[in-house]
């Protein structure tokens, strides 16, 4: 693992928990932890239970005992690290967004595919059993033919201009603020549930023009919010929105999907719930049904056999790690979402930025 | 109509609206209004559109042009007024609770039945299309055999000891405070949806020992809240609770009914909604369904053809008046809930008080 | 009144109820009803309580005993009728949308303003006490400076291609389907709560290509849904969406407003509720507050003194009629929203259509 | 650890996770696992990561390398095992209910206290950060003086008479069905949040008279549901209810607490939410506030620094284990809830049974 910040801790815990929750084909062990210098790595390694530590991530990548390189370092460094790992023949697990631009993401995809390397990216919300349920409902035709989708991801951790949660997110070279951070989540969700996006028209903007960075107020260059109209390749229409300054919202990533025979929606501020409406209900008994996650839904039973005994946000990462570990077995299909999928997401991010700048529709194929 | 206070106004408006909303068999007109004195009656009569007014309710009762006497005066006066009206051969519409005791209620029932008079009592929450829907679901066996019910009626209008909404409610001769006021509503609901109650064990209590009445702090003798365990005649079990000091609750009259094949619940702080769960749902698709009131439900379409275009609390009274007017037609069945039903409710109120005093189970048949 | 369809009935009932609920400066009476022919008018007039009836709306407009002409006829006829009424010196109350195009609306505005005529348009959702509460919160600065708004109006009454609720809505000369019908409501709400809109980029589309009209399947030319990104003149950003094929939605007109110090949202499928979040809450006690409509809010107390005793959709029209009647008094300010406001709404509708056709941003000033 | 069923697995996972989530004073290790026979223990031990296994729980209790005995075996065996462990000088962690009767529980308390042994019982719902928040609000006087509480625990896992989740729960020697199973949870919650209970009057009943046990339909002797009125020692009143046949409910353990200055409620089917109402809100802005669990609340931040990123049911057990491990350190205060608290809960269970049998109020002091 490279990096031991917030996501590093989440990954370490998820690897441990995955071995406990699931009957894995292989037991992952944190063979080595790399961080910015020896001392930082040593302290973090102790806390996270790493067998060895290093201040040089290139040493980690080159180490013969390492099968999988897990990149939780800042966005800006993903590409260089992943390319080195691929070159060394290691499989790679990398946090989203894959790279600040789709060009960078594409180089990572090309390298991995050329080398026959297995990759995975951390779009954890896709791993929620509720997401799987939504997909099952849609693919089974339970709501008919999908013609519209609304997607949003709203939080408010950047609302206060004087308290920055992740200062490095304001470096425009790391990506366009919320567009990269939360936008990539909701784009991945739209693609997963409804399908490829053909074009977008978007409006991203900076609401808080100055923030306290490194002790002084500085101008902000990255987006606080964006809104986009989208067209899917299959003709469905919709909206995608993201904000990190949505007052009162804490983990409001949600989706509403409309079909000719019904609709469904969820919002992960209640991450164990899905609402379903179908048009085949008897007259006077029509209504949205509130489905609580339970053992009938994918992966839930591995955590608890009891319906309504809810899963946590952290558990989504545990499921992701299970998919990762299983997907690394040569005899299994590769894991998903892989770098190619992350690149596809990034292409939509790029189209949102291009559309915002040009004030017109942008086609994903041009990204 | 006798009385022109809050309920007098609600009745007057409901009579007018009923003629507009429904295609009534007869058009009601407010022929005469009686109040405490000529002047009060005159002013109120003008506001409410009465043809004539009087300061002597006995004159109203005796008037040959009056077909129906509508009693909205304080509880304490219901019996005397109703008995006089019955003696004069008038049909009677009387607000709940019918009388402060079941003995008084019984005298009213006996007089009315002996005289062949049609009567009605104002348990307006029974008239909600959602209540009718609940009954239809239960009676149709959609939730199987009912084995339990929970009922509550919580408001907070008496929470502040220095601001009394209806000072006369603290006169113990008018009934036992919340037990009479809100308790009678939730008892009528339990009887309507599940059936006759066999016995209760209850605990009523005075939480705020002194209140500002007539400008000074005085000891309180009537209940602020009660809770009761109940057994229905058919064997189902349950609870009934009422409070007028439930902080934050404004019109929380609700019911939860459990059957062997499902359950339903509603709370009229959202008076256009009912939640339904049935055990026959496919695995992984189980959930409570939120049904919005609409034209498929009883009486709703008379107000609007559009589902989800909600009815108001006042509309419940309009439906009640329609039932009253139709029930007064000799060619129709008599209206419901009549005095007998109101007496049955009062018997349960009495049993709650008796049980609270005796600290044991009380049988309704003994009331 | 001209027209006696659904809206005619709602208006007639609202006029009656307004006189009962409010202490009006003048008591409205339905002096004359005009409809398509004498017989239709006569039958409807009886049902609605009109003093006189006519098959010729021009006769009504010319009648010297008429002070106010109330137009509830189909959209297509609004302009001709209103212009005639204005020419005859009558005040005019007209249902939304005012006219199929902003040009038509503008002619109505110009005529009314030149003649010094008072006008009003029926954007009833603006009259909800909850809407007034939202405006009070925003204008009082309780959520800081507004930087974003999301607005939607979703219903599903046109979802079934074989059951049309209002067939005339599929005539493209009457306006662009849902864009005119529900779109005008949510646009009026956005303008009311946040302010004038500067520009839009939109995507309207026809989802169900053929519908059963007049007994046979015919191609559809008007929109089933649209989504738009908007920019307000003061710099706030947002979205507006409308659909009449949103599965399961019955009266989901809602708004979410974000400010630098908080946010609020409501959805009128629960038309007596508003959710409020402010950033000044103590740590660990932050949350959205659910406010139930009550007598502390504008106009509510005229219906009932009891908080939580909910108002109905029809009650919104009653408040609207009160505003109309009071606004017709020469000594009072004119009513609102007037024709000019309805034209402003229509300009946004036109911009949405223009933007959809051109696939780019459209400026309202160009409409 | 003795026992490797459902609760054994939950415990094993919680011990592992606790060491990862919290910075523990000692790292727990599963030194030995005992089960019904050698083979069962061996297989389970492998799965759960035990260092050694045994088919003889007495061997485990006697082992000098064991510091803490964790009992997850069926209720009926708790007493014998705990007494042996105490005699051997081991600290004991035991699942609820402590013993089938309060007499048995008392023997365990007395033995532990005489031996100076530290004990803990698994009332996991008390460990929810939301429970801690409720307690903090109550103790801080934020809702004034508490005068009422409503508590419930409803699930439906025993609704189907042909599918039994835990057949041993139907052995009357193990406790009275739901009264022991879910009842003990809600009693512990009432005691924790409001205080000691003085007396109860209850009605427990068997709804499904026969169930399929060991392949044939047999009469049932234990309760499916109970309802109780309660009086707290400090004068507050309330209700406690539990059912394992509440159709549609999956983990509905909830509480509503009313005070003279406000109220709060929660239901753990949404285990990361609490609703709070206080009477000090400005006029027209009164409402229940929905508080989402976050890092401002006790223990939450150890799982994730992000508010709204919800905890799971399993996480409650992780917090419990942290309390256990810390409470076993001689330099720390002992853990809570200990055996004494579990005995106090059991006394209320006994009073509920006694009251149901006698059909009258039962005083806890008599248990």
């Amino acid at each position: 693992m490279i990096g031991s910040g917030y996501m590093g801790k989440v990954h370490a815990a998820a690897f441990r928990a995955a071995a406990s929750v699931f009957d894995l084909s292989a037991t992952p062990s944190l063979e080595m932890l790399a961080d910015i210098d020896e001392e930082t790595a040593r302290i973090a390694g102790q806390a996270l239970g790493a067998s060895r530590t290093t201040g040089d991530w290139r040493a980690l990548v080159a180490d013969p005992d390492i099968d999988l390189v897990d990149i939780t370092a800042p966005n800006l460094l993903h590409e260089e690290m992943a390319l080195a790992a691929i070159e060394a023949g290691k499989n790679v697990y990398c946090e989203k967004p894959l790279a600040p631009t789709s060009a960078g993401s594409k180089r990572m995809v090309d390298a991995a595919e050329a080398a026959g390397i297995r990759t995975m990216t951390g779009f954890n919300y896709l791993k929620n059993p509720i997401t799987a349920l939504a997909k099952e409902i849609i693919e089974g035709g339970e709501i008919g033919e999908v013609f519209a989708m609304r997607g949003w991801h709203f939080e408010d951790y950047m609302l206060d201009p004087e308290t920055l949660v992740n200062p490095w997110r304001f470096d425009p070279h790391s990506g366009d603020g919320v567009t990269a951070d939360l936008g990539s989540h909701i784009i991945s969700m739209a693609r997963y549930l409804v399908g490829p996006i053909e074009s977008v028209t978007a409006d991203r903007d900076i609401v808080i023009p100055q923030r306290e960075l490194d002790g002084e107020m500085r101008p902000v260059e990255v987006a606080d919010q964006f809104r986009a109209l989208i067209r899917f390749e299959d003709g469905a229409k919709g909206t995608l929105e993201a904000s990190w300054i949505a007052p009162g919202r804490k983990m409001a990533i949600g989706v509403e999907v409309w079909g000719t025979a019904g609709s469904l929606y969820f919002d992960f501020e209640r991450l164990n719930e899905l609402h379903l409406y179908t048009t085949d209900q008897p007259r006077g008994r029509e209504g949205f049904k509130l489905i609580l996650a339970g053992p009938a839904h994918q992966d839930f039973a591995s955590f608890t056999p009891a319906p309504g005994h809810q899963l946590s946000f952290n558990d989504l990462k545990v499921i992701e790690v299970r998919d990762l570990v299983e997907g690394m077995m040569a005899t299994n299909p590769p894991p998903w979402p892989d770098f190619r999928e992350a690149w596809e997401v990034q292409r939509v991010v790029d189209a949102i930025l291009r559309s915002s700048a040009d004030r017109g529709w942008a086609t994903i194929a041009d990204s």
Side-chain angles (χ1 to χ4, degrees), chain A residues 25-311:
Chain A
S25 299
T27 306
S29 71
L30 182 47
E31 183 61 27
M32 195 184 296
L33 177 77
D35 213 315
I36 196 98
D37 56 41
E38 296 284 348
E39 180 65 5
T40 305
R42 196 185 55 76
I43 294 171
Q46 224 159 9
L48 302 182
S51 305
R52 292 180 285 156
T53 59
T54 174
D56 173 16
W57 65 264
R58 292 185 183 277
L60 181 151
V61 162
D63 193 281
D65 289 345
I66 305 279
D67 298 313
L68 171 72
V69 176
D70 176 3
I71 304 173
T72 70
N75 297 352
L76 207 52
L77 307 172
H78 290 179
E79 183 180 347
E80 187 182 8
M81 291 170 173
L83 292 180
I86 290 165
E87 198 175 5
K90 315 292 190 195
N91 290 328
V92 188
Y93 175 32
C94 184
E95 264 307 311
K96 46 65 54 179
L98 195 54
T101 63
S102 64
S105 299
K106 189 54 167 36
R107 285 189 294 269
M108 294 163 78
V109 173
D110 289 345
E113 295 185 352
I117 288 298
R118 295 195 168 192
T119 59
M120 188 172 188
T121 320
F123 291 109
N124 35 264
Y125 295 106
L126 304 185
K127 302 303 179 178
N128 192 343
I130 288 296
T131 311
L133 174 60
K135 188 158 181 71
E136 183 184 314
I137 289 169
I138 293 167
E139 294 200 336
E142 296 178 44
I143 58 169
E145 193 181 344
V146 169
F147 62 84
M149 182 211 148
R150 308 172 71 220
W152 59 89
H153 195 159
F154 298 141
E155 307 203 359
D156 70 357
Y157 55 92
M158 296 295 190
L159 184 59
D160 181 348
E162 297 181 11
T163 313
L164 292 188
V165 175
N166 295 107
W168 61 267
R169 288 207 183 280
F170 288 90
D171 174 0
H173 299 104
S174 279
D176 185 46
V178 76
T179 320
D181 187 17
L182 305 186
S184 58
H185 276 303
I186 191 59
I187 292 165
S188 73
M189 187 68 84
R191 284 181 48 85
Y192 182 59
L193 292 180
V194 180
I197 297 169
E198 187 268 338
S199 55
V200 301
T201 187
D203 199 15
R204 50 77 86 186
D205 75 308
I206 298 164
V207 173
I208 299 173
Q210 290 201 317
R211 291 177 181 269
E212 188 174 316
L213 286 160
D214 305 324
E216 54 179 293
M217 296 305 282
R218 294 198 184 170
V220 170
E221 296 173 63
V222 302
D224 287 319
Q225 57 177 4
F226 77 84
R227 300 167 200 286
L229 309 182
I230 57 174
R231 293 184 170 192
F232 290 92
E233 288 185 4
D234 71 359
K237 307 288 167 63
T239 53
L240 291 179
E241 303 174 73
S243 175
W244 59 22
I245 56 167
R249 302 302 182 184
K250 307 302 176 186
M251 198 180 89
I253 168 165
V255 154
E256 196 167 321
V257 182
W258 299 349
T260 49
S263 66
L264 63 83
Y265 69 92
F266 58 75
D267 186 311
F268 287 168
E269 270 187 359
R270 288 172 175 163
L271 65 82
N272 289 274
E273 303 185 1
L274 179 142
H275 300 258
L276 174 64
Y277 183 94
T278 55
T279 56
D280 61 359
Q281 299 176 85
R283 179 170 154 78
R285 299 294 180 277
E286 303 96 340
F288 275 96
K289 180 188 288 190
L290 170 50
I291 302 175
L292 299 180
H297 306 126
Q298 186 175 308
D299 291 324
F300 187 96
S302 298
F303 293 87
T304 169
H309 288 55
Q310 299 132 72
L311 301 193

